[in-house]
Structure formats: structure tokens, C-alpha cells
Amino acid sequence: MPETKSSVRLDQETPAAAAPQEGQAELPAELRQRVVIDRVGPEVDAGRFPVKRVVGDVVVVEADIICDGHEELDCRLQVRQGISGEWQSLPMACQGNDLWRGSFPAASLGWWHFDISARIDTFATWLRDLGRREEAGERTQIDLQVGAEMVLAAAQGAPEAIQLEMEQLALQLQSPAWAAAASSDRLRELMASCADRREETHLEQPRSVWVDRERARWSAWYEVFPRSWALEPGRHGTFADLADRLDYVHAMGFNVLYLTPIHPIGRSFRKGRNNATTAAADDVGSPWAIGAEEGGHTAIHPQLGTWNDFHSLRRRAEELGMELALDLAVQCAPDHPWVKEHPEWFRHRPDGSIQYAENPPKKYQDIVPFDFQCDAWRELWQALGGVVRFWVAQGVRIFRVDNPHTKPFAFWEWLISDIHRTDPDVLFLAEAFTRPKTMYRLAKLGFTQSYTYFTWRTEKEETAAYLVEVSTPPVANFFRPNFWPNTPDILHATLQTGSRGMFQVRLTLAALSVGNWGIYGPAMELLESQPVKPGSEEYADSEKYEIKQRALDFPESLAPFIARLNAIRAGEPACRSAAPPLIQAIDNPHLLAWCRYEPAEKSRVLVVVNLDPDTPRRGQLRLDRKALELDQAGSIEATDLLTQATHLWPLEGIDLDCTPAEPVRLYRLIPR
Amino acid sequence: MPETKSSVRLDQETPAAAAPQEGQAELPAELRQRVVIDRVGPEVDAGRFPVKRVVGDVVVVEADIICDGHEELDCRLQVRQGISGEWQSLPMACQGNDLWRGSFPAASLGWWHFDISARIDTFATWLRDLGRREEAGERTQIDLQVGAEMVLAAAQGAPEAIQLEMEQLALQLQSPAWAAAASSDRLRELMASCADRREETHLEQPRSVWVDRERARWSAWYEVFPRSWALEPGRHGTFADLADRLDYVHAMGFNVLYLTPIHPIGRSFRKGRNNATTAAADDVGSPWAIGAEEGGHTAIHPQLGTWNDFHSLRRRAEELGMELALDLAVQCAPDHPWVKEHPEWFRHRPDGSIQYAENPPKKYQDIVPFDFQCDAWRELWQALGGVVRFWVAQGVRIFRVDNPHTKPFAFWEWLISDIHRTDPDVLFLAEAFTRPKTMYRLAKLGFTQSYTYFTWRTEKEETAAYLVEVSTPPVANFFRPNFWPNTPDILHATLQTGSRGMFQVRLTLAALSVGNWGIYGPAMELLESQPVKPGSEEYADSEKYEIKQRALDFPESLAPFIARLNAIRAGEPACRSAAPPLIQAIDNPHLLAWCRYEPAEKSRVLVVVNLDPDTPRRGQLRLDRKALELDQAGSIEATDLLTQATHLWPLEGIDLDCTPAEPVRLYRLIPR
């Protein structure tokens, strides 16, 4: 049976026209827009979130722009700096297949917005067709008259002088001198300025770009517990001790000095060594248990020193090219002054006691979480924003945010944008070791950088795939990975059982694949590897719960190797580039090879690491000559960036060895 | 130099708290929403356009739904039929990794909308934690009290009877019989119905689904020029002639009979045979030059018959399971009555003459385009809508739209949705042989089916890639390909030089890879292959400009082969499925293999075509056992759908031959 229904009278000979239908609405004027803009890029979630860039980047905007028929289009990129700047109009050019492109330099920090305007250029269409008619010998006086009428119509409403000029040009278009008028730049310019833009198509909303300073994308972090840096055994370290020994950190080439929390530490339910539930009298406690009678998030732990000491440390770091990063842990110890001053910010149990942190049956009685949903939430959020503003006023411009995934998304989006409203140079690193979609969401809503799953990617294929995923659009438009081989919370199994070579491999992977990396020191360079118990990723005698003084002059120390990695990062433009690492084929399942490539500087760096570093492994490398633009080269000059030895390689059949003595191979490549 | 700026006075010992910042706005209440919904599917352009489905489909909705912390979520799919129906709430379930899924049957034609609601389920979280505490032996009376308080709070504002019942349950929760209360379905139900939904998260806008009847996705078209179907040589054919010979079309198994335009044909500038610029006195003209003194788009060409003849043809087709499709060509011949009645709908040149169609220097003087941008555009659009409504009232439910890409996108979006408002069973096929992005845009804005580039895909890799592209999401969510081996405008080079085998290959590719296909007959089954000149895709002596009568009993006719293809399409559930063709590996560059698979019906069809059909080719097939769910099979029973021979195949190492006699191989596969 056919699926149609029929309302036909068979006796009718000439059916009547259909009557207008009920419910037909007046057609709105917007339906006259004929140009359509589609697939705009770069964008994040159709413009819900900004794309991230750094100062100096050129933002390349592309879109599919189509229209019915065959008319010429005039497409412009409209760019606005800040949230209330003036729109600037820039040209876009068609790249073929209806793809249009324009670009603008992100010349300063903060918000940028772009829009696209596209209209049918009737005059350009007429000019194009006039040329074709002339070429075919079919140009008539009427064709010229059509153009002249366009010019006269456009002149309506222009200032009188312009109107007169256009009337002259319209006359000339119909005279024997028509060709000079038709091809004049002046006429084109006048027609563009008089164009009817009422039916111009725009994006349904402007897209936004957040522009950070370069350190957002290119940073090397060194994490320390300041209290461990006293020289005298057993003494609680101070800011002054750390300042005295900053040369050591500086020599390794780091540019961010990240201090674990520096605030007074709670005494109630203080944790003892190795996370013991009861602390001994002299146990120093976890710095993340923030707040005691000496103060809360805006106070300094008295044993670390004074405000002057803090500022001296900050200035000393700055002299050495390092910025301080502070830890922002949005939680309280039970002794935090706010617990008494603002009980309305916390959840209470029916017996009146305050609700400590828990993930039943686990209990964290030394930590009291804020109740972000409390009735006084606005005051709470403003107070927490005030904490960040306080430290910003002390000259701190980088925050490492502890566990942001346990606080509401909307809080972070509000907090970061509110700080950025006045201080667009502030950077936030999200420590969100949580589920993948939550990690990405936090990046979208404003975090500058993010900790990642890098630490747990140890096999060749999964590591390569992960490097590509987190460094390539669309993810790279909103997410900036920060790779850490270790943290005070994470001593990965590879390091627990690994040789010095394995430490070198993990350091190289972190330092030379993406723009941001960091280590928890001196544990990393001193090869600390003892877990608290088998199967745990916690360090034995964790510095989180005790002072840990080390001999930094350990002969096996990797400090010189780390210094070399940071020097390569700084010295080779490819390692400072926003371009993602390019995985290279190498025919050994234990060898992972990638290149960094910066075309503008013609800088190419090749990295090969042996993921099984205690066994010698050999592989034949097949460079991706197209991606690396090596097709024109006859051979390649490869400079070993660890030994400075130089080799001349063929383009094909490059054999590389990784031995236990040389588990990573680093080369600068120059085509010859 | 560090990049920070500092606003610090070094002499300060205890910095003051930061003052509130200017420009801080009151925090809006929406910030309390803690749940985030992301990556909703299916959707087209973030909900700008509907997803397309057919009646009976189950619409599976997925989204990433995340929240800070560890609380339980309650996520619901909200579904509304029509544009003003009632919202129905359906469950969603977490599939792991924060992916939630729900579904609803698209039970009727027209618009459907869906939304997602997601909230934190505090009570479910408490229940879960209570279980964990109990298991760890740490459940306290206070924990029960917390739950009881939740129940009492939820009861506020409930009807008195409910309130009393909940108060009883709250008491019970604190009694020795707490476990029975905590685990009662009734309490869960009451708590869900009393839940505070003020902070529930919804999609920023509901997503829409357009539901067509099945013929939107599964149709077989046969295109005819009715005037060629008279039996007597030289007579102008009529609707009655075609009706008399419909058995011939029916026998081939088509279910859409598409008539080229049936309206009066213009006389001014009429084209002669082979597109000659001047017509002889007896030349019949192109049916696409619509309109003469006898009438325009709502009239029938007098030589085709009367309205009764038209309806008899329509009824005869319906009796045979075929629907009529009419051509909708939105353009006029210069003699069209509207040219005189509505000069305001057309563009005029300065000399007062009407502007004919042109693409300089090419001129189409027999065609006058509408000026969609004219001042009277609303009346014009409504009049064109009236044309469609007129034919809908005559029982026509399928339109093949000529060159939609030369009319504004907004016009089509308005027209199709306006017709669908009252007649959701009407189908529109877009003949947009234009640029890829325009082709897809037209599909998004409402066209039911689309002509494609299929005709020009002839090599293995490009054909395989194209089959996948147009039949797989995201494209398949809005685009329904209709594959044509030929049309009156396109005699592809493969057919000009190809053997009967090549015709079979092109027919098989079109008929068995996607849901919609069509041919221009009888040219196709009668193997017509002569181009008007070398290098042209125009037929010699094109039926567009003359009557072309054929002997349908041509011995080499492919009509029986076509009948078999359509019988397989109808008889094998896999060929009627919405699932895309699955390309199968076969190790010969001239052989292309794919499977259709419908899991619910356990129906599997294998198609192998030889793209170089005059040379025998052999290949070893490697079935994708995972995608085809053949992993459990020991062997495969393969029934040849052309010969009915049955083979028992191993799972690996299936050798297939395509000879010039058997250029296509078709099998039903059953795992054994």
C-alpha cells in the first residue's frame, strides 16, 4: 500500500489554487540574509568557551561561507580587543572550496572577540561579469547602464560631495571612457563604503579568545616544601633558607618556583608521619590542613618567616627569572579562623558538629570542606575570591589549584574570570587528577594549565596517542597540559623500580614533548624511589607530613641533566613553539620518537626515548619528511644536543641506538 | 626578566585584606547549578538544525554529564512530541566514564524535541554512603538522623497526606527498623517526587528531531519523461499512455515514479533538439522551461492529458505501490503567466526587458529566474509555497527540487517547514549538484534526500570513502543520500565506454549501498550510452528536448537485473536498515566489498563489485568479524542472491571471483 493520503475529488477538472494556510506567520526580514557562515574555527563548544592563545600569537580564523547562486562575496573578520573595545574590520580571503580565512595578532593580554561579516557584493559581481562579457565580445551599453544604476543607487544617502563624485563616475561608466571608471580603485572603495549592510550575515554570537602571557604555555615548574630547606639538621626551614639556596634551582633552569601551602597548619586531628591518624607533639602536619589560631588563607605560617621574608624570597626568585607559584587549596583545617567566624559556610551534622571531609567509609577529619551550596554562598565565594586577590596584591601571579574538581565548576569559572577582569596576567594550574571529561571541562572554563594523566602513560602507543591528544586541536584550543614525572602524591611504579635511566626517560618525556612541565624536587633529581608500602604511589616518609632535608650534592643527582633539558627547551625555538609534537615512526616497540618543529624559525628537534631503558634497543627511524618539510633536503645534519657531536644522516634508513648509558637521544636537525 | 608586576610595599608586615573590586556584579542564582551537560548527541550544529529519523526509529540520546565531587546524579531524558506537546520524563542510565544514555521511540511523523535534566540526588547519595558505612561497621545514629532530616525537609510543601507519610518514614529511619525504611521503594519514590528541582541543569535549548515516514530513507526512484511513453511512433505521450505501461516499471520494483515537469512549456526562445538555440516548429521544448499561455506551475501541459488523466495515473501508480514524485523547478519560461501578472517578482534591465538567466558569458534566454530579493519577496515566497500546497492537495507527497542551490537557503528552510507544519509526510529531494558545503547545508535546513557525487566516484578508495562519509554520523544525522547511476543531465564516462557489466556495477553500487537510489529510465536499463559529443556528459539526442520512444523489450535490457536488485533491497532486512554499509577488506584494487548488517533481524548481505568489470578479478575477502558480530561463528553459509546457490565458507580466506559474466556478487550471510 502506498503511504500517501489524498484529498482529491476526482471529478474536478481544474483544481483551485491552495488557500492560504492558517497559522502562517509573517515572514521576518532576517529571511532576506542569503549568506550562511558555518564551521567557524577556532572555537570551543560553539563559542560557549574562549579559545586560548598567548600574546604574540596570530589568531587564524576560518569559516565556510556559502550563498546561493554565483555572486561574489565580501567577507570580513571583525575583531574587538577587550570586552568593550571598538570593532576593527580585517579582510578575509577565500582558500577554495568555500573556506575563508583571516587573521589577527593577539597583541595584548586578556579578552579578544571576533565576528565574521559576510555579504553579497553585487558591484564586484557586476564587475566580474562585465569582464567576462567584454572578453566574449558581448558587452553591451545596457550592461554598463546596469552598473551605473548600481552606483547611483549606492550614492543615495551619501554625503553630498561623495554623491557628486559617484554621479560623475556613473556618467563616466556609460561613456566611451567606461573602462577607466570600471577599473578604478576609487569606485570600488566608494561602492564598498556605501554598501547596504542591512542584509549582511554575522555569527550568531561573537567568538572569544583569551590571551595569556607566554608563561601560560611555556613554563618549567619546581615544587618545594620550604620547611625542608634549612641547612641545619632538624631545624624548620624558612623563606630565607630557600632564598639562600635558590641558585641551586635556578641552575637547573626552572622558571616557576611552586611553594606547597605556606599558611598556618591546623592542630586538631593533625596527621603524623606517613599519614598517621595521630601526630606526635613535634610533628609538623600537612601544609594542606590550612588554618590555625595564627590565621587562615591570608596568613603565613610563623615558622616560615615574616612578610618581609616572603617578599625577599619572591624578589630573589624574580631576579633569577623565576616566578613564585602558590598553592590554592580551598579547604580548612578545623582550627581555621573561618570555622568559628563563619559557621554558615560549613555543613553541620545533627549533633552540631562540623562535617569533616569524607568519602565513606574514608574520613579526613583534619580537613573541613566549604559548603558551596550554603545559603550564604555569595559571601563565601567572594571571600575565597578575596583570598586570591590578597595574594595577587602580594605580587603572586601563579596559582596551583588543589583538587578543583571537588568544588563547583561555576565557582571556578566565576573566580578566574573575576580575577582576570583586573589581573589578566594571573595563571591557574588545575590539579584535577579526576575523570577525563571533568579535567577538560575545568580547562574550558578558565584554568590556564592542567595536570594530566601523563604520569600513567608508560607504553609506546598509549604515550604517543596521549601526547597527540592533549597538544593538538580541538583539545589544544582550550587545554594546556603540564607534564609531571612525579608529585608529592605520585611516585609512579616506573620510578619505584626504575633505574637512573628511567628517571631520565620520564624527565625527557615531560620536558621536551609539550610546553609546560614540572617536577617535585629535590625528590626527582635525587632519584627518590621508596614507596610507603608495595603497590602504593605514596612516597615513604612523605614530605607532606614531615621535614625532609637532603644532601643536594648527591653524585648521581640528575640536576645537570635537568639543567640540560631546560636549556634545550629555552634554546631551541621548536621546544618553545605552540606546535604539537610530531610522532615519528621508529621500528622498535620500546623506542618512542617525536619531533618538535617551528617552521618560522626553521627549528627542528628530534627526541628518542627508550621506554625500557635498561636494555639496549635499536631502531630505524623514518622521519615524516612532509610534516617536517624535509622533502627538499639531500641529507640531514644532526647535532647531538647532549654531546654536541654532529652527524650527517641520510633521509632514509637512520639507525638509532639507545643504551643504558644513553637512554634518551636528543638532536637538532638541519636539512642540508 | 620575570613577567610579573608587583604592587607590594616592602615595609608592610601584615597586608590588609583585598578591598572589594569595582565592577563586581551580584552573583546570579544560576551559578548554583552544579551539574554540567556536555557533548549531547545526536544533534546537528549544536541544535541549530534537527536530527532526521523515520517513524519507528528508536532515538538514542547520549550526553556527558558531570558534577564536582562524588555525589549521585539523577539524569532524565525529557521528550516532547510536536511543537506544543507535553514533556514526558524518561530514565537515563550511566554507561561509565560519565556517559549517560536514554532513548525514546519516534512513534509518529513530525517534530520531536528532547531535553536532558540532571540534578544531584542528595538522598541517593546518603543511601549509598549509608550502605558503605554499614558495611565498614561505622554507621552511627547521627548518620540515620541526617537522612531523617532530609526526608523531613523534602516533605515541606507536600500535600498533607504525603507529609504525614514522610514524617512516619523519617521517624522509622531513626528507629531500630531503619533498614526497612531506608531500602523502601516508597521512600525513594516520595523523595524523587519531592526533590528540589530549582537547581536542576537543562540543555541550553531543547534539541529537535524531524521524523519522516520510511520512504524518506528507503526509496527506489524511476525517472520518466511521460511524453515519450506513447506506443504509436511520433505521437506525444500522455499520462494515460504511461499509466497503461506502469506494469513495466512496477515489475522492476521501484516505489517512486518521478515525472519530469508536467506543466505547459514556454514557446519564446524554446530550445530545439540537442539544445539548439532555435527550435523547429514541431520541437517540443524542455519541460523545465515552465509556463506558457496555457498556465504555469499549477497547470498541466495540455498534450499530457486532463486532470482526470493525471489522477488516474497517480491512482494506478499507488495501486502498484508506487508514489508519484513531481519536479519542482522554481523558474519560469518567458511566457509564464506570472511574468506579466507579477513583473515585480522579476529583475528588469535598464531597457525594460526582463532579465533572463545567465552565467556570463553563457545565456539561458528560455529561462527567467525569480528575484528572491525583490521588494515583494514575501508575496513571491508565499506564491511559491502555494504551488507546493496546490500539488499536495492533488495528492502529491514527493517533490524532486531542481537546482535548489540557486535559490536562497532561507527560502527552502521556510518553505519546507511551512509545508511540514500541515503535511509532515511530504518529502523533498534536493538536486543540488553543487559545492559540498552547499549540498550539506541544504540537507540540514530540511531537504529529505539529496542527490550526491556518487556518479563521479569510480575508483575503489574514493568510492569506499564516499559511501562511509554520506551514510555515517555526523553526516547521516541530517543527510540522506540518493544514489543515481544516471540522470537526463548525466551520462557518466563509465557508462559511455562501459560494457553491460559496467552498467550492472553502477546499478549495484547505487541500489545496495544506501537506502535511496534512482535511475533515469528507460535510458539506464536499455544501456543508452551515446554522448552528444566526446567529453560531454549530455546524452546524444537528449530526451530533454525531444520525444524519445524506445522498444522496451530489448533483449539485453537490464530490467530483470534491476528487478532483482530491488527485490533484494525489499527482501533482505539489512538492505532496508538505517545502518551504514560496512566496507570489507578484499585484496584486489579493482574489487570493492561491503556488507549491510541489521543486528535486530540478524540479517547480513555481502556485496562485491568489480570496478573494472571486463577483466576477471579475484580477491581474498577478510570479513570484519567484529563489526559483523561473526566472532562466535564456526563458518558462514553464503547464499548467492543472484543464483540461489549456497556455499559454506570458512571465516578466513574467502576467495571471490568476478568475471565479465558475473561482475557483481551478492550473498546473504548466515553464521553457522
Side-chain angles (χ1 to χ4, degrees), chain A residues 10 13 27 32 307-308 378, chain B residues 10 13 27 307-308 378:
Chain A
L10 266 188
E13 260 305 286
L27 306 185
R32 289 176 65 90
W307 282 101
N308 274 342
R378 288 190 174 88
Chain B
L10 267 188
E13 260 305 287
L27 305 186
W307 281 101
N308 273 342
R378 287 189 175 89

Side-chain angles (χ1 to χ4, degrees), chain B residues 372-432:
Chain B
F372 280 87
Q373 299 293 95
C374 67
D375 290 339
W377 64 280
R378 287 189 175 89
E379 291 74 23
L380 169 62
W381 290 27
Q382 294 286 9
L384 293 169
V387 167
V388 178
R389 289 211 175 278
F390 173 89
W391 288 106
V392 167
Q394 307 319 311
V396 175
R397 286 292 188 282
I398 308 185
F399 295 89
R400 177 270 195 194
V401 181
D402 189 72
N403 281 329
H405 55 290
T406 58
K407 290 92 198 171
F409 294 117
F411 168 69
W412 295 118
E413 189 168 18
W414 165 79
L415 176 74
I416 294 170
S417 74
D418 194 56
I419 298 295
H420 276 167
R421 198 166 41 78
T422 50
D423 295 271
D425 59 337
V426 176
L427 312 181
F428 296 89
L429 165 63
E431 189 237 15

